[in-house]
Amino acid sequence: MIILDGIHRAFQVGDQTVHALNGVSLRIDAGEYVAVMGPSGSGKSTLLNVMGLLDRPTAGTYHLDGHDVTTLSDEQLAATRRDKIGFVFQFFHLVPRLSAAENVELPLMLAGVDPTQRKDRVAKALAGMGLADRADHRPDQLSGGQRQRVAIARATILEPAVILADEPTGNLDQQSGRDVIAIIEELNARGIALVVVTHDSMIAGRARRRIQIVDGNVESDTVRETRES
Amino acid sequence: MRVEDITRYAVGALRGYRTRTLLMLLAMAIGVAAVVVLTSLGEGARRYVTDRFASLGSHLLIVIPGRAETRGGAPATLMGETPRDLTIADAMALLRSPHIRRIAPISLGGAPVSHGSRERDSAIIGTNADFLDIRHWSMAKGQFLPRGDDERAAPVCVIGATVRKELFGVQPALGEWLRIGQHRFRVIGILESEGHSIGVDTEELVMIPVAAAQTIFNNPSLFRIIIEAKSREAIANAKQDILNTISARHQGEKDVTVITQDAVLATFDRIFKALTMTVAGIAAISLAVAGILIMNVMLVAVTQRTSEIGLLKALGAPGRNILALFLSEAILLSSAGALAGMALGQLGSWLVRHFYPEVPAYAPGWAVLAALGIAIITGGVFSILPARRAARLDPVQALSRR
Ligand SMILES: Nc1ncnc2c1ncn2[C@@H]1O[C@H](COP(=O)(O)OP(=O)(O)O)[C@@H](O)[C@H]1O
Ligand SMILES: [Mg+2]
């Protein structure tokens, strides 16, 4: 589904060029569960941003579902993000003045979905996250774990093919972190591909595939033997 | 995105940041209110003055001795040239014109007026019986100056209310004699008070036959001749007749200036319209200032909401949508501000009318519409820059901030 080929991403800082990605080639198939690890500053977030079409690579090609997306226009990129990709961020990024339900409704609104259908879908999504009774709460009235679950409901409401999560538990206590992981693994079980950047080896240990990034390169890419469960 | 969603989202954002919303509303409202109030004042002043001038009479022409230079406008008297006297006989000769209905020659001056031991200085108008009808004045008591030969100086006078009170106190004045300079006059009438008629206060006046006034002032020349044309259409012909008649009587010299009420009215009208436009223009500058304020506040809003913008982009909003969101915010805001300002401005001109009932301070429709239009357009135009900045934000950078 995702095919990266020789992806470079360089930043110009003053008269210095910082190479955040140094020729990354990767292939991620539909429904995969991938943990991305690596030291701070190694390029994990940059990789996720490129995969999520938020950032354009300096060189290399990116095929998403068989289409070359490195040449798309701003408008086409936005539409592709909306239809195929769900983001989960370390800092949740909920709009503070909107209620949980309104935050979850945002992608539907941006996609121009008929308002009469939205309420239902939002209610279902929130209920799926165990937040049915929190629909009218604003983010500042929710705990960290609840906020991240609202964000996940928002990321999945348009049924994306892949969820890109950059340290989704980085800002949560252990228990909430575990809840959040359980929820996104459940999504994975339903067939949504999962790419999770994490420092937590316990979480990484649960993923079937682990990619280690160092200095903008894939240092190791290991697939765990399938254990019978 | 649907239009109603864009609107709802923009309204939500406006309500989410109350202080800045109120500030911008205020800035716009003050600008629009300024335009409405100032133009209503200008328009009120215009109507006040032209109404007053119209109340002088109908289809009036005024003959002034001395020729207005085509360029300067100052009568020749001021240029050192001595014109021929404008006499009562000249005035009467004008009555032969078929376009002229009535004529009132006027001789003007001031003199001490006394009755017994009481004395005051007063403005004296010498004129004839037609004056009353030409000026649409009326009598409180008694008669106006008698009809008859204007060359004859009958010893009668008509006085205003203040003069009456000061000379006679509570005593009856009608039929009594008073002294103007060296001459004695019998009071035959008291003028009705006319409020503020242009130029004169009827309460302070003493009116006597024109010939008597010429004797008192020892001046054979008239101050003015006021003429009423038969109709509005007759004004131009009347003016021509006046010039011809005077020139025939003055050995070919057209040594008088004729001004028509219409021309003066039109001039006043032009001056006050220009004045209104000017104050409207000045007030409109405050709208431009409000526009610049809007731009600044929107720029701050874009900075404040950087991560929200990044999020919307990550969720699939193209730059176009972000642009639409911020533009509608600004336009909604300036429209609301403009409407509030219009209400405020109408209240302001109502207050003006309430405290100065004689000034019909109504803002002209064009000014109100222009103020609304300029406010909304300014709000939109000045928010293009901030909205484009928002639309072009790099989502990665925007999201990297908490
Ligand atoms: N916008 C940017 N401008 C300059 N340098 C950047 C920018 N974004 C990332 N970098 C640099 O690229 C490298 C990789 O960053 P990042 O992908 O955020 O690493 P990680 O997420 O693994 O901590 C770092 O050295 C970082 O300083
Ligand atoms: Mg990172």
Side-chain angles (χ1 to χ4, degrees), chain A residues 40-41 43-46 90 166-167 197 199:
Chain A
S40 181
K44 306 180 297 294
S45 296
T46 307
Q90 181 179 356
D166 195 348
E167 305 189 34
V197 171
H199 287 297

Coordinates of all heavy atoms in Angstrom, one line a residue, chain A residues 40-41 43-46 90 166-167 197 199, ligand 2:
Chain A
S40 N 16.1 10.1 19.5 CA 15.5 11.4 19.2 C 16.3 12.1 18.1 O 17.5 12.0 18.1 CB 15.5 12.2 20.5 OG 15.0 13.4 20.3
G41 N 15.6 12.7 17.2 CA 16.3 13.4 16.1 C 16.7 12.5 15.0 O 17.3 12.9 14.0
G43 N 14.7 11.1 12.8 CA 13.9 11.3 11.6 C 12.6 10.5 11.6 O 11.9 10.5 10.5
K44 N 12.2 10.0 12.7 CA 11.0 9.3 12.8 C 9.7 10.1 12.4 O 8.9 9.7 11.6 CB 10.7 8.7 14.2 CG 11.9 7.9 14.7 CD 11.7 7.3 16.1 CE 11.5 8.4 17.2 NZ 12.7 9.2 17.4
S45 N 9.7 11.3 13.0 CA 8.5 12.2 12.8 C 8.5 12.6 11.3 O 7.5 12.7 10.7 CB 8.6 13.4 13.7 OG 8.4 13.0 15.0
T46 N 9.7 12.9 10.8 CA 9.8 13.4 9.4 C 9.3 12.2 8.5 O 8.5 12.5 7.5 CB 11.2 13.7 9.1 OG1 11.7 14.7 10.0 CG2 11.3 14.3 7.7
Q90 N 1.0 13.3 19.4 CA 1.4 13.2 20.9 C 0.6 14.2 21.7 O 0.1 13.9 22.8 CB 2.9 13.5 21.0 CG 3.4 13.4 22.4 CD 4.8 13.7 22.5 OE1 5.5 13.9 21.5 NE2 5.4 13.7 23.7
D166 N 2.2 9.4 16.0 CA 3.5 9.8 16.4 C 3.5 9.9 17.9 O 3.0 10.9 18.5 CB 3.8 11.2 15.8 CG 5.3 11.5 15.9 OD1 6.0 10.8 16.6 OD2 5.8 12.4 15.2
E167 N 4.1 9.0 18.6 CA 4.2 8.9 20.1 C 2.8 9.2 20.7 O 2.7 10.1 21.5 CB 5.2 9.9 20.6 CG 6.6 9.7 19.9 CD 7.7 10.5 20.6 OE1 7.6 10.7 21.8 OE2 8.6 10.9 19.9
V197 N 5.0 5.5 16.0 CA 6.3 5.9 16.4 C 6.2 5.9 17.9 O 5.3 6.4 18.6 CB 6.6 7.3 16.0 CG1 7.9 7.8 16.7 CG2 6.8 7.4 14.5
H199 N 8.7 5.3 21.8 CA 10.0 5.1 22.5 C 9.8 3.9 23.5 O 10.7 3.4 24.1 CB 10.3 6.3 23.4 CG 10.9 7.4 22.6 ND1 12.0 7.3 21.8 CD2 10.4 8.7 22.3 CE1 12.2 8.4 21.2 NE2 11.3 9.3 21.5
Ligands
MG2 MG 9.5 13.1 16.7

